[in-house]
Amino acid sequence: AEGKVANELDEVAPSQAHHHRGWFGLPWLSQKVAQRLVSGPALTAYLAFIALGIALIIDDPGLFPSPANALLFPIHFTILLWTTILLNLIGVFLHEVAHVVAARAAGMPARMLVGNQLYVVVAQTDMTGMWLATKRQRLVAYTIGLVVDALHVALFIVLLWGHKHSLWTLPQVVYLLSGALLLTTVIRISWQFYFFLRTDG
């Protein structure tokens, strides 16, 4: 009677509809496609590739770049530094997109936005509706961002391992960026386990 609870037959207010249909909610992504991207076979393939990356870094721990010099590029320093920053921002975007995809697969609305954790400006995804989903769907939705980050780490490890063992030859710029992105992505993953913040971990 006070208008605080809407009848389920009432029309959704325009502002509320826009909240979930904005571009940052990926309105063009169908639930069927989203379900395929986070299906059992897809998740198994993701985890298998991550396991390959782990196996390669165990085989050759020297692949991991030294924190002391990974970002001290010997050539094109400024260009490579800003490229690393830009690619990390793209990585953050893909992390958040993964959350939206998992929420869409569960039939729940979600959208990406910018917020803060203590004094740090962060990208985050509003998935409030996921509390109405099943336990498995919630688990996938909240961990899929970390899975995407781990896939990036595995990709950089595979690139560096193949280069070092002469399976292919990376251009010097790609080699340097792969090492820098490997280090910075691992740092981003570790940030997710600051338990005193509201993070994926």
Side-chain angles (χ1 to χ4, degrees):
E2 296 297 328
K4 294 182 172 61
V5 180
N7 186 293
E8 62 181 10
L9 300 179
D10 292 344
E11 275 191 34
V12 178
S15 60
Q16 187 179 0
H18 178 74
H19 177 85
H20 294 301
R21 287 205 291 259
W23 186 85
F24 288 108
L26 306 185
W28 45 266
L29 180 68
S30 72
Q31 184 176 0
K32 188 174 181 180
V33 172
Q35 287 172 339
R36 288 177 181 171
L37 291 173
V38 295
S39 65
L43 291 172
T44 300
Y46 303 154
L47 295 177
F49 189 72
I50 292 169
L52 171 63
I54 293 172
L56 293 180
I57 201 72
I58 291 174
D59 173 68
D60 189 353
L63 289 175
F64 197 83
S66 166
N69 57 25
L71 298 175
L72 296 177
F73 302 108
I75 60 170
H76 311 304
F77 176 80
T78 303
I79 294 175
L80 290 180
L81 182 61
W82 280 105
T83 301
T84 300
I85 293 171
L86 176 61
L87 291 175
N88 267 291
L89 290 175
I90 293 173
V92 170
F93 175 74
L94 293 176
H95 174 113
E96 301 305 328
V97 165
H99 288 309
V100 175
V101 169
R104 182 64 51 80
M108 300 297 173
R111 66 167 186 155
M112 295 175 281
L113 45 87
V114 175
N116 70 290
Q117 298 287 351
L118 290 181
Y119 50 84
V120 181
V121 177
V122 297
Q124 54 192 24
T125 303
D126 177 6
M127 297 189 295
T128 309
M130 286 306 300
W131 291 109
L132 300 176
T134 66
K135 184 176 181 179
R136 180 191 179 278
Q137 290 171 328
R138 290 198 308 271
L139 181 63
V140 171
Y142 282 98
T143 59
I144 194 68
L146 290 171
V147 171
V148 168
D149 290 340
L151 282 170
H152 292 155
V153 168
L155 173 63
F156 302 135
I157 290 173
V158 168
L159 288 174
L160 293 172
W161 190 90
H163 176 82
K164 186 173 181 179
H165 293 81
S166 302
L167 293 181
W168 49 71
T169 301
L170 297 175
Q172 187 178 14
V173 168
V174 176
Y175 176 79
L176 293 172
L177 283 174
S178 295
L181 290 170
L182 173 56
L183 174 65
T184 52
T185 306
V186 167
I187 292 173
R188 282 199 289 112
I189 290 176
S190 68
W191 194 89
Q192 294 297 319
F193 293 94
Y194 289 173
F195 291 120
F196 52 88
L197 295 176
R198 191 179 181 185
T199 63
D200 292 358

